[in-house]
Amino acid sequence: MNDLQMFKKLFNLSFCRPILKTERFIDIWWDLEGLRDALDGPLYTIKTKGNCNYVYTDDEGRFPGVDSPEKFLQWCLDIVDKCRDILIKHQPENFNEEADFETIIRQIDGMEVLSHLAYRIQSEQ
């Protein structure tokens, strides 16, 4: 399986709405929406078009300083770190919250893997 095939397979797992059991973690998942959406845009474009070259010539200022695959990777990882930091501030208090926490952290971990795959895909072009 090549990088793009792996990327496409992992994408839906990392960005689909998960089934969560607790209102608290449903709210936290929604709190991460803006960050997820920022990352989702270019990664979805890789999934559908095989690249996200538009981030390097962004006229709208959505990707400040991103002019290479290396800087794109750093931009992605900064978003992943922000998501992880927000989630970590909300430690689970019971079994159902623990399950929800693990579900969300797996999605964030998936976004990190996608970021590295995106870097490799972008670097190969």
Side-chain angles (χ1 to χ4, degrees):
M1 180 179 301
N2 69 29
D3 287 340
L4 186 56
Q5 290 169 326
M6 192 177 336
F7 185 94
K8 289 178 178 182
K9 186 174 184 175
L10 181 58
F11 182 87
N12 289 338
L13 297 172
S14 298
F15 284 97
C16 70
R17 182 174 180 193
I19 298 171
L20 300 172
K21 300 175 182 179
T22 65
E23 284 298 317
R24 180 173 175 233
F25 278 86
I26 290 170
D27 290 344
I28 293 165
W29 189 82
W30 283 112
D31 288 346
L32 297 173
E33 181 177 25
L35 292 169
R36 275 194 322 273
D37 284 352
L39 193 56
D40 184 355
L43 296 185
Y44 180 78
T45 303
I46 292 173
K47 177 187 171 195
T48 58
K49 297 185 179 182
N51 71 71
C52 66
N53 294 337
Y54 74 93
V55 302
Y56 307 127
T57 58
D58 177 41
D59 296 331
E60 298 174 25
R62 294 173 293 166
F63 309 100
V66 175
D67 59 5
S68 68
E70 293 78 17
K71 289 183 181 175
F72 177 64
L73 174 60
Q74 189 56 57
W75 179 85
C76 291
L77 294 177
D78 288 346
I79 291 175
V80 170
D81 287 344
K82 288 175 187 174
C83 287
R84 193 173 281 121
D85 289 346
I86 289 169
L87 181 62
I88 297 296
K89 290 178 184 174
H90 302 280
Q91 290 299 305
E93 297 174 359
N94 58 52
F95 179 79
N96 285 335
E97 286 187 357
E98 178 69 33
D100 287 351
F101 182 93
E102 290 300 319
T103 297
I104 296 171
I105 201 72
R106 276 193 307 273
Q107 280 194 316
I108 294 169
D109 291 346
M111 293 186 313
E112 183 174 4
V113 171
L114 282 171
S115 298
H116 287 283
L117 285 170
Y119 166 74
R120 291 192 342 218
I121 292 166
Q122 289 295 106
S123 294
E124 292 170 0
Q125 298 190 29

